Amino acid sequence: MEWIFKLTNYLIGTCLASHAALICDRWDDGNFIFTRSRCSFCHTELCLLDELPIFSYFWLHGKCRYCHNFIPPKLVVIEIIGGFAFISFDFSKLLDILTAIFVFSLLLAAICDYDQMEFYLIMILPAVILALWQSPKIFSYQLFDFIQLIPVLITLIYYSLTKKLGFGDFLIYLTLALYFNPEFANHVFLFGALFSLTHFLLDETLRSTTSAIAFVPDIFLGLIVQLLLR
Ligand SMILES: [Zn+2]
């Protein structure tokens, strides 16, 4: 029966991802807690049936029910991918709920970074607070943990100071290392770098540009892989 459990978590995850996309979309208005989603073209408030993650998109053939404009496929991609981030949690356990909050705040940063090439540090405040709460774990680290943590930390500080990487990326590494452990954070960043490299090789426009590329979405994909492998 484990697949029912996982499917339920996936569906919860798609709803959370859908809401994360809504929060990022309305971030500047600050109007995202009690309002319904609206079509970004005709601004009609969507009914509950139009808001079902993934399903509504395909049911409505990717178009708004009212004005028939195409809904950005980005939204359904966020729902499909975001759902996987929450599969492995047991929502009856407090620690897993807190980890889900941690993951949700990084999802906000990933979506915002994808849209705007930067994210608001306040988005990852829940992750930072949870990481600080778990930080006393550092006193039980073995030598191997420090060997895993310190070289990567120094490298990221160097890249952050030389503006090759955003300060936010460094902060995300630190929160992952403190909340989970340095090995987990290193694997997340390793997979994140592999996803970035893949994007870079597959996307010709990306290769021809000299401007910065958003790294947090790839870090988030790396996080999903690590959460599923845990
Ligand atoms: Zn519309």
Side-chain angles (χ1 to χ4, degrees), residues 58-75:
F58 291 106
W59 176 253
L60 298 169
H61 303 287
K63 288 179 190 170
C64 168
R65 182 195 295 274
Y66 311 98
C67 67
H68 307 289
N69 269 305
F70 280 102
I71 302 164
K74 183 193 85 180
L75 288 175

Side-chain angles (χ1 to χ4, degrees), residues 1-226:
M1 294 305 251
E2 203 185 341
W3 68 271
I4 296 185
F5 173 78
K6 288 192 168 159
L7 180 67
T8 312
N9 275 3
Y10 181 76
L11 295 176
I12 294 171
T14 58
C15 294
L16 290 172
S18 176
H19 198 63
L22 174 78
I23 291 176
C24 289
D25 193 41
R26 306 255 190 98
W27 187 268
D28 294 328
D29 312 334
N31 182 20
F32 46 74
I33 299 176
F34 299 113
T35 53
R36 301 284 280 269
S37 297
R38 285 170 191 275
C39 166
S40 42
F41 298 99
C42 62
H43 304 289
T44 310
E45 210 168 77
L46 304 182
C47 70
L48 203 60
L49 203 65
D50 301 337
E51 286 196 77
L52 292 173
I54 307 173
F55 172 80
S56 328
Y57 183 84
F58 291 106
W59 176 253
L60 298 169
H61 303 287
K63 288 179 190 170
C64 168
R65 182 195 295 274
Y66 311 98
C67 67
H68 307 289
N69 269 305
F70 280 102
I71 302 164
K74 183 193 85 180
L75 288 175
V76 74
V77 173
I78 290 171
E79 289 166 356
I80 291 172
I81 294 175
F84 287 103
F86 299 89
I87 280 188
S88 59
F89 297 129
D90 179 348
F91 286 104
S92 65
K93 289 186 182 147
L94 179 64
L95 188 63
D96 278 18
I97 293 174
L98 293 175
T99 309
I101 293 171
F102 182 100
V103 171
F104 185 82
S105 79
L106 293 196
L107 176 58
L108 283 181
I111 297 170
C112 188
D113 195 41
Y114 180 82
D115 284 340
Q116 307 179 16
M117 303 298 296
E118 59 183 357
F119 65 91
Y120 302 97
L121 286 179
I122 197 171
M123 287 176 166
I124 60 165
L125 187 64
V128 172
I129 291 169
L130 288 166
L132 288 173
W133 169 61
Q134 287 286 338
S135 62
K137 276 200 297 194
I138 204 164
F139 296 111
S140 60
Y141 278 8
Q142 306 289 316
L143 178 65
F144 187 62
D145 293 312
F146 286 109
I147 292 173
Q148 300 227 55
L149 177 69
I150 291 169
V152 182
L153 212 52
I154 291 172
T155 311
L156 292 179
I157 290 172
Y158 171 75
Y159 280 136
S160 180
L161 289 174
T162 53
K163 309 272 183 214
K164 290 196 174 88
L165 211 65
F167 175 69
D169 302 310
F170 162 73
L171 204 58
I172 287 176
Y173 174 79
L174 203 56
T175 56
L176 286 167
L178 290 175
Y179 187 75
F180 296 96
N181 56 60
E183 187 182 17
F184 184 91
N186 287 359
H187 287 171
V188 168
F189 266 60
L190 177 68
F191 274 93
L194 289 174
F195 281 118
S196 278
L197 187 66
T198 313
H199 284 159
F200 187 74
L201 293 175
L202 292 179
D203 189 339
E204 209 165 318
T205 49
L206 214 59
R207 267 179 289 157
S208 58
T209 178
T210 50
S211 58
I213 55 169
F215 188 32
V216 187
D218 291 320
I219 296 174
F220 193 79
L221 291 177
L223 176 61
I224 292 178
V225 172
Q226 286 310 303

